[in-house]
Amino acid sequence: MSAEKVISPASGLSASASSAPRTGFNWSLIMGAAFLMATSAVGPGFLTQTTVFTQTLGASFAFVILVSILLDIGAQLNIWRVIVVAKKRAQDIANELLPGLGIAIAGAVALGGLAFNIGNVGGAGMGMNVLFPSLSPVVGAAISAIIAVTLFLLKDAGKIMDRFTIVMGGALIAMTLYVLFSTEPPVGEALYRAVWPEQVDVIAIITLVGGTVGGYITFAGAHRLIDAGVTGQEALPQVNRGSISAISLASLVRVILFLAALGVISQGVTLDPANPPASMFQHAAGNVGYKLFGLVLWAAAITSVIGAAYTSVSFLKTLHPFIEKHSRAFIIGFIVTSTAIFCFVGKPIALLIIAGAINGFILPVTLGIMLVAATRKSIIGDYKHPVWMSLFGWLITIMMAAMSLYTLYNMLFG
């Protein structure tokens, strides 16, 4: 069977995918899906949310991170397993449960992707502003959008961007580790507050979970496995490893960034509210670190802009054949629309936080649908979803739904 080229949903990766099921453990495929999901999560919103909440909550943010990691693992394990066993994409599973439900899910995920992409465009603008102070974030966002569309249209843009992202991601981790060790953060207090926090912020939990496995992000890795033919019950060991590896990668970066930010803040430094993560690196690594972080932030944002647009439109293809036929034009339109909204609204920091919260609202709906699908033989055949996993999944669904309602109430009336 001939292979087709698939543009990776989050990072523009071009990969050969075969529709034929694969058996046996394929480490490169599993790590590819894990890396895809992790890089989808670690974008400008991730960097900004972690820094802002560390400044707000201090060492108690460790508790929020710990809770979010547990929720992330439970949600992603359930979603990935059901999708791989069913051998269908999420929206197709939802349509089998209830005709039209997949269309609603596709619309919700696309809406969450739009919110995320507005934040990504804002992150690109902030990165440009760090590199070129004469450019405002709005102007930087507009220029970045033009670059993103140009890169998307290039034949080998996916491979170039993937390598660029890996280099920039490595630079980010190296810089963050430098800040961490140079500022000597209170690790002992962070460990203590991870289980005994001084304060608990529900909105922070919703935002972190939404920014890690909410909206389109968790489906990026699962759908990649489907594209690669990693399907059926025999693939479940690979799914378990890939899912947990993805969350572990993203969480490791989150913990390192948190400790680095805590180290800076514990020295009495007040971060610049206009660009908290860049300000943190400037205080710890000087102007060179500040400029290098601007480049890293821009790189993370520009790849996320294309990735979020691609994945969101891939869900919208369910709505009408016209969208599938003209998907490239819709992706470009998605990027342009995101940029126009950002340029009109501004406030990149607020948008990056809100985007995570919005995707947190979507998670209990999509997770609930996958859990119901796990009980239907017409969808999963003779597969028996583990009872403990279902119970854990429903607990997460209820918790996320309750916290989402609480967050919505606070946004409207708080």
Side-chain angles (χ1 to χ4, degrees), residues 74-391:
Q76 183 147 292
L77 264 178
N78 276 287
I79 290 173
W80 280 32
R81 285 175 69 99
V82 173
I83 287 176
V84 167
V85 169
K87 305 177 184 179
K88 297 180 179 72
R89 291 175 177 269
Q91 64 267 38
D92 298 324
I93 292 174
N95 270 332
E96 284 198 30
L97 278 178
L98 181 66
L101 182 59
I103 295 175
I105 291 301
V109 170
L111 179 62
L114 179 64
F116 223 86
N117 223 29
I118 295 169
N120 289 334
V121 170
M126 290 163 60
M128 275 278 198
N129 177 249
V130 170
L131 292 170
F132 309 103
S134 60
L135 296 178
S136 69
V138 170
V139 174
I143 294 173
S144 298
I146 294 171
I147 295 172
V149 171
T150 304
L151 285 171
F152 176 74
L153 293 174
L154 292 176
K155 182 180 178 181
D156 294 323
K159 293 180 180 179
I160 296 170
M161 288 178 58
D162 257 2
R163 291 167 187 160
F164 188 51
T165 303
I166 291 171
V167 172
M168 289 296 103
L172 170 65
I173 293 173
M175 280 195 304
T176 308
L177 285 171
Y178 171 78
V179 174
L180 190 158
F181 288 114
S182 64
T183 56
E184 300 180 356
V187 177
E189 183 184 0
L191 289 172
Y192 175 67
R193 295 304 176 192
V195 294
W196 197 263
E198 289 183 304
Q199 55 181 320
V200 177
D201 191 329
V202 170
I203 296 176
I205 295 174
I206 284 286
T207 302
L208 258 64
V209 175
T212 307
V213 295
Y216 77 91
I217 295 174
T218 192
F219 297 108
H223 286 182
R224 172 158 179 174
L225 292 177
I226 293 288
D227 289 336
V230 181
T231 58
Q233 294 188 48
E234 63 275 9
L236 288 179
Q238 302 185 56
V239 171
N240 293 339
R241 293 190 193 186
S243 177
I244 294 173
S245 296
I247 298 299
S248 299
L249 284 170
S251 299
L252 178 62
V253 177
R254 175 91 71 187
V255 170
I256 292 172
L257 186 63
F258 156 65
L259 289 174
L262 185 63
V264 172
I265 292 166
S266 64
Q267 295 180 351
V269 173
T270 301
L271 302 181
D272 181 2
N275 197 338
S279 174
M280 178 190 78
F281 280 93
Q282 183 177 31
H283 281 288
N287 196 53
V288 174
Y290 179 66
K291 293 294 184 181
L292 184 56
F293 177 77
L295 179 60
V296 170
L297 179 63
W298 182 83
I302 203 75
T303 52
S304 295
V305 165
I306 296 175
Y310 175 86
T311 309
S312 299
V313 172
S314 75
F315 272 88
L316 290 176
K317 289 178 183 179
T318 305
L319 302 180
H320 200 279
F322 179 81
I323 300 177
E324 183 168 8
K325 184 178 179 181
H326 301 282
S327 60
R328 184 179 292 268
F330 274 90
I331 292 170
I332 293 172
F334 201 90
I335 295 172
V336 171
T337 301
S338 304
T339 306
I341 293 174
F342 170 74
C343 290
F344 179 76
V345 176
K347 300 180 180 179
I349 299 302
L351 287 171
L352 287 167
I353 301 297
I354 292 171
I358 290 175
N359 281 280
F361 298 156
I362 296 172
L363 180 62
V365 177
T366 53
L367 177 56
I369 289 171
M370 293 299 108
L371 290 170
V372 173
T375 65
R376 302 295 174 87
K377 284 190 175 182
S378 59
I379 296 175
I380 61 169
D382 61 355
Y383 166 67
K384 301 293 184 184
H385 199 58
V387 175
W388 72 266
M389 199 173 290
S390 292
L391 292 175

Side-chain angles (χ1 to χ4, degrees), residues 47-61:
L47 301 174
T48 302
Q49 293 157 12
T50 304
T51 310
V52 168
F53 286 128
T54 301
Q55 186 171 24
T56 304
L57 301 175
S60 294
F61 186 50

